[in-house]
Each structure stands twice: as C-alpha cells, then as structure tokens.
Amino acid sequence: MSLEAQLGVACFRSGDVVEAEGHLRAVLEIDETIKRPEDAFTVGSALNNLACLLSHSDRNEESIVYFTRDVELCVGTNGPAHPTVSQARSSLGAAHLKCGQMARAEQEMLAALDGLRNTYGQMPNADVGDALVNIGALRAAQQRDAEAEAHFVEAVSCIQASEGDNSCRLLAPYEHLERLAHKGGDKGKQALYYSKARSLRDMCGASPHIPHDKSIRVLPPSSS
C-alpha cells in the first residue's frame, strides 16, 4: 500500500498529475479498513495528497470531499487537538475559499490556527505560517487588505524563524504581498516582494502543479 502512496507523491512532485491521481486512488481502494496506526497515516496521507492534487488542478469541489474525509480520519485516529487535524482543517478551509464558500472557509481556517497555536504556543512554527497565509488569502478575498497584509507579514516571520530565509514556504506569502502592494500602488514594496518571490521560484523550481508548502504528506521510509 505504501508503495502506491510513495509513487503518487513522486508523480505529483514531477508534475504527472494523471499518474499521481491513479496511484493515490489505488491506495484508497486497497485499504478500506484501518487496522493499524500506520495504515491510518497512509490512508490519511493519500486522502490529503489526492485532495491537494485535485485542488491544484482546480477541481476544488472534489478536493473538499477528500480534505473532509482526511479531517474526519485525523480526528478519529489522533483526537481533535492533534496538530495534523489543524493542518488538515487549514487545507480544507483553503479549498472552501477556492469555491467561494467564505463562511465555511473562515470557520475551518480560524479553528486550524487556534489549534496550531494551542499546540506550539509562542514557538516559531512554519505550519502556523501556512495557516496565516490561508487566512490572509481569505481576508484579501473579503477586501480586508490591511488585515490580509498583517497575516502575510506574520506568516513570513513564522516561516523564517522556523525554517530560515530560503524556505520554499515563503513563496506564497511573498506572492500575496506583492499582489497587495501592486493593488495599493506601493511600487517600492511591490519590487521588494517580487524580487524575493522570484528568487524563491528560481531556487525551488516552481511548478503550477506542486505546492510549495508542506501540504503534501510524505510517508516515512520505514513504512511498508
């Protein structure tokens, strides 16, 4: 089962989304019954990764189905306070936002951020940064630009403190900040954020198919 899961991730990262979808769906067909904790992680990862693939292919309503199943499995396996649940809820909220479902998006995103902050406290954490990026995107969609900018700036700070200045997870907040600066007519900020985003795109090998955050879950090498 884990071989199919690993092949799905590898194909997704290489941009072969059709092949990746086949492998990830195969994982879900193989194991309908969760018997061991590692099985739950494998199936949950396949649900998450398939949802990410669908989302990045603009099949957003389909992605919500699999993100929701992932949240339910994470809660059932790890309890509602586990950080994996919060990460899954943040991704689910982002999918709702892509479908224009603002109230559902806000509900999931704020719950995710609260959960992550309860877990990590004041300790810098890049998952908190990713959650802040999602909320920032929601605020931007709501035309609440000042709040959006504050969330993106805080996200940059969290990710830098956790992973350094060259983390590929910084690409998303920098791109959002660049767009906000362009909208606000601040050419200085726009040029600054464009430069930072371009450097990261060059370094990370940007692809429209592949998330730059850690939304893809990779199985441990020892899984079998």
Side-chain angles (χ1 to χ4, degrees), residues 51-217:
C52 288
L53 182 151
L54 294 169
S55 178
H56 284 266
S57 301
D58 290 325
R59 294 159 63 184
N60 299 306
E61 292 186 0
E62 289 180 78
S63 77
I64 288 174
V65 174
Y66 292 99
F67 279 132
T68 300
R69 286 178 60 188
D70 182 34
V71 170
E72 292 169 350
L73 180 58
C74 288
V75 171
T77 304
N78 301 312
H82 196 274
T84 305
V85 175
S86 298
Q87 294 161 12
R89 293 193 74 176
S90 184
S91 296
L92 175 58
H96 280 300
L97 176 58
K98 286 187 174 184
C99 290
Q101 300 165 359
M102 300 293 192
R104 292 296 304 275
E106 184 156 3
Q107 177 184 353
E108 297 295 341
M109 289 179 184
L110 293 179
L113 182 60
D114 285 345
L116 289 167
R117 283 182 161 156
N118 287 338
T119 298
Y120 298 110
Q122 298 301 312
M123 182 174 62
N125 182 271
D127 290 331
V128 174
D130 289 340
L132 286 164
V133 169
N134 286 340
I135 296 174
L138 172 66
R139 297 299 179 230
Q142 294 170 328
Q143 306 300 313
R144 294 159 63 175
D145 291 351
E147 293 176 64
E149 182 176 8
H151 285 304
F152 294 137
V153 169
E154 186 180 356
V156 168
S157 178
C158 285
I159 295 168
Q160 283 179 327
S162 178
E163 297 191 348
D165 293 339
N166 294 323
S167 171
C168 294
R169 298 169 90 164
L170 288 167
L171 179 59
Y174 281 143
E175 288 182 332
H176 282 294
L177 285 166
E178 179 195 347
R179 285 192 286 271
L180 283 178
H182 174 73
K183 180 180 178 182
D186 190 327
K187 294 184 178 179
K189 282 186 178 180
Q190 183 183 357
L192 172 65
Y193 293 131
Y194 171 81
S195 175
K196 290 180 178 293
R198 181 176 180 178
S199 295
L200 286 169
R201 277 192 292 269
D202 290 343
M203 182 184 69
C204 300
S207 164
H209 299 295
I210 303 172
H212 287 279
D213 59 20
K214 291 186 177 177
S215 54
I216 295 178
R217 285 189 216 145

